[in-house]
Amino acid sequence: MLDTFGNYFSQSARLKVLVAIVAFLVSIPVSAAFCSLRDPVIAIQSLYPEATQHRSIIRPINQKMRGEVAKRLPFTIHHNEIGKHTLYQVLKGAASIGFVQARSELSEWGLIEIAWAISSDMKIESLAFQRCRSPECNDTLKNEIEAVIQGKSFAELLLLVSTDGQSLSEQAKEVFLTNPAMHLLILSSALKTLAITELAWGDVISAQSQ
């Protein structure tokens, strides 16, 4: 009987330890997952085939900056999007040809990771899906949304979402006839990308555009 009690106690103790470990892991900030390129070389070559090299510029997104971003957006950003973020400056030889930032968005299929190409005048140039389990993430969707948002600034993209950020605007609904939830998610990601890039690295981008 003592052995049985001892075994039960051991199993119970192990279970408590396992639960504690899981809780600890869940509580760890996952900021890196919200702003990292899985493979910078492949992602950058996909967005800028002419690139010869790149450099990483890491800066923190703190609570104050998160508040500044929130003022510009009709929706809030996730608390896990606070932390060190990386902007990739893309070069062709010695010349800067663009910038890349990655963002992750929560969806019913889990995290959708998107790499964004940004021009020196702070406009969206293109996008690439790093990771997406949804069957909707394909070249058809990519080409469809790129045809609409390519070359658009933050102010122009803002016109494609409703004032509360919870749906597409009437203007966008006339263009995106299917998959409204996915289109809204991608548009929201583009808006957050430009807002965060301007606030965190505006000086870097301005210096390159002069």
Side-chain angles (χ1 to χ4, degrees):
M1 184 175 183
L2 184 60
D3 289 342
T4 301
F5 177 79
N7 290 336
Y8 172 79
F9 179 80
S10 297
Q11 292 174 2
S12 177
R14 285 196 296 269
L15 179 60
K16 289 180 179 179
V17 170
L18 180 60
V19 170
I21 291 173
V22 171
F24 173 76
L25 291 175
V26 169
S27 68
I28 295 176
V30 293
S31 302
F34 278 77
C35 62
S36 62
L37 282 176
R38 286 176 170 267
D39 191 323
V41 174
I42 292 177
I44 289 170
Q45 285 295 326
S46 171
L47 295 167
Y48 292 99
E50 69 275 30
T52 58
Q53 58 183 320
H54 69 273
R55 70 186 185 103
S56 304
I57 309 169
I58 302 174
R59 291 188 175 175
I61 305 299
N62 55 28
Q63 190 67 44
K64 180 180 178 181
M65 190 174 293
R66 179 175 181 265
E68 290 299 316
V69 172
K71 291 178 183 178
R72 301 188 180 194
L73 298 169
F75 45 81
T76 58
I77 64 173
H78 197 278
H79 70 277
N80 280 331
E81 295 183 83
I82 298 174
K84 291 182 179 180
H85 288 228
T86 304
L87 181 74
Y88 299 86
Q89 183 179 13
V90 185
L91 306 169
K92 181 180 180 181
S96 177
I97 59 174
F99 300 87
V100 174
Q101 189 189 151
R103 302 223 59 76
S104 293
E105 306 297 336
L106 290 171
S107 76
E108 61 178 325
W109 294 88
L111 285 178
I112 295 178
E113 300 172 2
I114 306 171
W116 291 100
I118 307 164
S119 67
S120 58
D121 58 352
M122 288 295 295
K123 295 180 179 180
I124 293 295
E125 292 195 305
S126 58
L127 67 96
F129 291 113
Q130 289 195 104
R131 176 187 180 186
C132 182
R133 295 179 179 175
S134 170
E136 296 176 354
C137 291
N138 50 41
D139 287 340
T140 299
L141 175 66
K142 176 182 179 295
N143 295 336
E144 182 181 53
I145 200 161
E146 271 188 347
V148 176
I149 70 175
Q150 198 167 48
K152 281 188 167 52
S153 64
F154 178 87
E156 291 171 318
L157 289 175
L158 201 57
L159 297 175
L160 299 176
V161 300
S162 62
T163 54
D164 62 1
Q166 300 303 304
S167 63
L168 297 175
S169 68
E170 293 303 315
Q171 176 184 338
K173 288 177 182 177
E174 294 177 1
V175 181
F176 302 127
L177 303 178
T178 60
N179 304 330
M182 183 63 74
H183 285 111
L184 178 63
L185 180 146
I186 296 173
L187 287 172
S188 299
S189 179
L191 284 165
K192 285 190 286 185
T193 298
L194 290 181
I196 290 172
T197 300
E198 183 178 357
L199 284 169
W201 298 280
D203 58 327
V204 174
I205 295 179
S206 295
Q208 295 303 317
S209 61
Q210 294 174 356

